[in-house]
Amino acid sequence: AQSVTQLGSHVSVSEGALVLLRCNYSSSVPPYLFWYVQYPNQGLQLLLKYTSAATLVKGINGFEAEFKKSETSFHLTKPSAHMSDAAEYFCAVTGGYQKVTFGTGTKLQVIP
Amino acid sequence: NAGVTQTPKFRILKIGQSMTLQCAQDMNHNYMYWYRQDPGMGLKLIYYSVGAGITDKGEVPNGYNVSRSTTEDFPLRLELAAPSQTSVYFCASTSGTSGPYEQYFGPGTRLTVT
């Protein structure tokens, strides 16, 4: 069984401020973890993924996430928010490749 | 590569009507999925397929049917549409031959049932 909890359905940050989106997971097997981004009226696209090769994962557009097994967390961060980062972000977990469980999403608002 | 394509982009159905949402991928992916997305609910898996001729139910299969006759195509059939099926539907695919397998998503179909 696997599940994902994203804390905060809406997050607002000022342009240039740190972005922190929280994700905690539960998995009965070693997990693979993903962050996806969805821009308005579009499908989801992969931001980054954890494959067990390295605990700090770098993705596109300056985002990164750190896998912390002891905290069962995979939080997404970006040092400096840009207006173009405004979107909805989904954390996802899978124990294999057949089924992926998605979180409920966090909408990021960037205030100029 | 076109990736994952979905048609139509928008559709309005009357209660009780039926329709088929089309999905195709040109990446030779084995695994294909159908999700629905409702506000604040994330994505819920409707059906998935691990290859041509093989399909299985996800979390919310009631009111839907699928088939997979080719590797490329994975249509989703709605029979007797109901207002509860108003949603945005996404098709996705993944390789399935080496992991971990990120999913590639289509642009979605926005369906309204009235």
Side-chain angles (χ1 to χ4, degrees):
Chain A
Q2 56 199 29
S3 66
V4 167
T5 301
Q6 289 185 243
L7 296 176
S9 58
H10 291 81
V11 170
S12 294
V13 300
S14 298
E15 191 174 15
L18 171 72
V19 176
L20 171 61
L21 304 182
R22 300 177 186 273
C23 172
N24 288 89
Y25 71 91
S26 172
S27 178
S28 56
V29 297
Y32 297 124
L33 293 156
F34 308 85
W35 276 100
Y36 287 85
V37 60
Q38 184 181 33
Y39 298 103
N41 300 314
Q42 295 186 25
L44 280 68
Q45 54 184 277
L46 183 71
L47 207 52
L48 50 81
K49 63 183 178 184
Y50 167 70
T51 66
S52 78
T55 56
L56 183 62
V57 181
K58 294 188 185 298
I60 61 172
N61 301 336
F63 284 92
E64 63 182 37
E66 186 171 9
F67 173 72
K68 291 187 176 180
K69 185 178 179 180
S70 61
E71 299 177 9
T72 60
S73 69
F74 191 57
H75 302 330
L76 182 70
T77 60
K78 182 174 180 179
S80 177
H82 193 272
M83 295 300 293
S84 60
D85 296 327
E88 189 161 18
Y89 294 80
F90 292 90
C91 184
V93 63
T94 180
Y97 43 79
Q98 290 195 4
K99 292 184 187 178
V100 174
T101 300
F102 288 86
T104 52
T106 298
K107 284 188 179 173
L108 177 67
Q109 180 187 21
V110 182
I111 303 166
Chain B
N1 278 358
V4 180
T5 57
Q6 292 183 239
T7 55
K9 285 188 168 51
F10 304 94
R11 183 72 185 268
I12 298 174
L13 280 183
K14 294 189 185 304
I15 295 171
Q17 288 185 322
S18 300
M19 77 165 292
T20 299
L21 281 65
Q22 300 293 343
C23 173
Q25 53 91 8
D26 62 357
M27 297 173 282
N28 201 32
H29 284 171
N30 294 320
Y31 290 71
M32 295 187 74
Y33 307 81
W34 274 106
Y35 296 93
R36 58 176 289 169
Q37 183 180 30
D38 301 298
M41 302 295 290
L43 277 75
K44 301 292 185 186
L45 182 64
I46 305 172
Y47 271 96
Y48 69 102
S49 169
V50 302
I54 306 170
T55 62
D56 205 351
K57 296 177 181 178
E59 293 178 80
V60 290
N62 291 345
Y64 307 95
N65 275 301
V66 294
S67 59
R68 182 108 181 260
S69 56
T70 66
T71 299
E72 294 77 19
D73 300 299
F74 190 41
L76 177 71
R77 178 82 177 162
L78 278 72
E79 305 282 2
L80 299 175
S84 61
Q85 293 178 306
T86 293
S87 187
V88 182
Y89 291 84
F90 289 100
C91 180
S93 72
T94 190
S95 170
T97 56
S98 62
Y101 316 110
E102 66 263 35
Q103 297 191 358
Y104 295 81
F105 284 81
T109 294
R110 188 173 297 271
L111 176 67
T112 302
V113 182
T114 61

